[in-house]
């Protein structure tokens, strides 16, 4: 009764392809273990990858906040620089330091002749604001120089005449503006 019917033809050929007996159950065990190990390893790998991505996301968020704070600080410092370098702020600070607007400049040629007509600087007290700049001698700076580049003499010292001849500029040099190059 335990005897199987004998197969013929095509069924017999197919039956020979499949292994017979209980060895079939033993061959499945390593395959099942391999599949379970691969699935478990994949899940652990996904967990580690997800943790690493979350940590990177937190670091990125912190760096973005730090960048925003530094950008805000940079903009505040740039506003301060712009406020301090504005012409009216520079003029106010110069007046606080006792500086006065300069007169017309003169230039020395290499041969020692003077070009231009010098004019004295305007005094602050003449504008009616009640302040007068201090003389360089009163400030106590040993390197205080007069308009000719020589050290200024004390107020009670006799003055000497300059040996450099002052000649007015015979003809002003015409100022030419560069012509724009086509295509630029």
């Amino acid at each position: 009764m335990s005897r199987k019917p004998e197969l013929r033809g095509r069924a017999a050929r197919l039956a020979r392809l499949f292994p017979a007996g209980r060895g079939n159950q033993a061959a499945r065990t390593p395959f099942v273990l391999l599949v379970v190990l691969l699935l478990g390893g994949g899940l652990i790998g996904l967990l580690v990858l997800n943790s690493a991505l979350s940590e990177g996301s937190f670091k990125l968020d912190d760096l973005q906040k730090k960048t925003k704070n530094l950008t805000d600080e940079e903009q505040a410092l740039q506003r301060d620089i712009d406020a301090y370098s504005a012409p009216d702020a520079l003029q106010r600070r110069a007046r606080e330091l006792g500086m006065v607007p300069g007169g017309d400049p003169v230039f020395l040629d290499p041969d020692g002749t003077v070009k231009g007509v010098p004019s004295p600087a305007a005094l602050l007290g003449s504008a009616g604001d009640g302040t007068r700049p201090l003389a360089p001698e009163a400030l106590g700076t040993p390197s205080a120089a007069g308009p000719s580049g020589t050290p200024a003499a004390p107020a009670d010292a006799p003055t000497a005449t300059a040996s450099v001849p002052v000649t007015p500029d015979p003809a002003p040099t015409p100022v030419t503006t560069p012509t724009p190059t086509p295509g630029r």
Side-chain angles (χ1 to χ4, degrees):
M1 297 232 170
S2 65
R3 192 172 163 224
K4 293 184 179 179
E6 216 171 290
L7 302 174
R8 294 187 187 159
R10 186 174 180 198
R13 283 190 305 249
L14 286 174
R16 279 184 266 156
L17 292 177
F18 293 110
R22 292 190 156 222
N24 194 8
Q25 181 71 4
R28 285 186 191 177
T29 305
F31 176 73
V32 170
L33 286 175
L34 177 68
V35 168
V36 167
L37 285 175
L38 285 175
L39 287 175
L43 287 174
I44 291 172
L46 284 174
L47 180 65
V48 169
L49 181 65
N50 191 17
S51 298
L53 287 175
S54 296
E55 183 180 348
S57 176
F58 286 128
K59 283 183 182 178
L60 179 66
D61 188 47
D62 289 342
L63 289 175
Q64 285 175 341
K65 286 179 183 176
K66 190 174 183 179
T67 300
K68 182 185 177 298
N69 290 339
L70 289 175
T71 302
D72 291 345
E73 183 180 348
E74 178 192 13
Q75 289 174 352
L77 291 173
Q78 187 62 44
R79 280 193 305 268
D80 289 346
I81 289 172
D82 292 342
Y84 285 130
S85 63
D88 59 337
L90 288 175
Q91 181 182 14
R92 182 179 39 79
R93 283 287 295 145
R95 287 187 187 272
E96 288 173 4
L97 293 173
M99 296 180 173
V100 295
D104 293 333
V106 293
F107 302 97
L108 292 176
D109 282 336
D111 61 355
T113 59
V114 178
K115 279 190 161 184
V117 178
S119 67
L123 295 178
L124 286 179
S126 64
D129 58 1
T131 60
R132 291 195 58 94
L134 294 175
E137 308 82 50
L139 293 175
T141 55
S143 64
S148 63
T150 59
D156 57 347
T159 57
T161 58
S163 61
V164 177
V166 178
T167 57
D169 193 12
T173 308
V175 177
T176 58
T177 58
T179 58
T181 306
R184 286 195 181 179

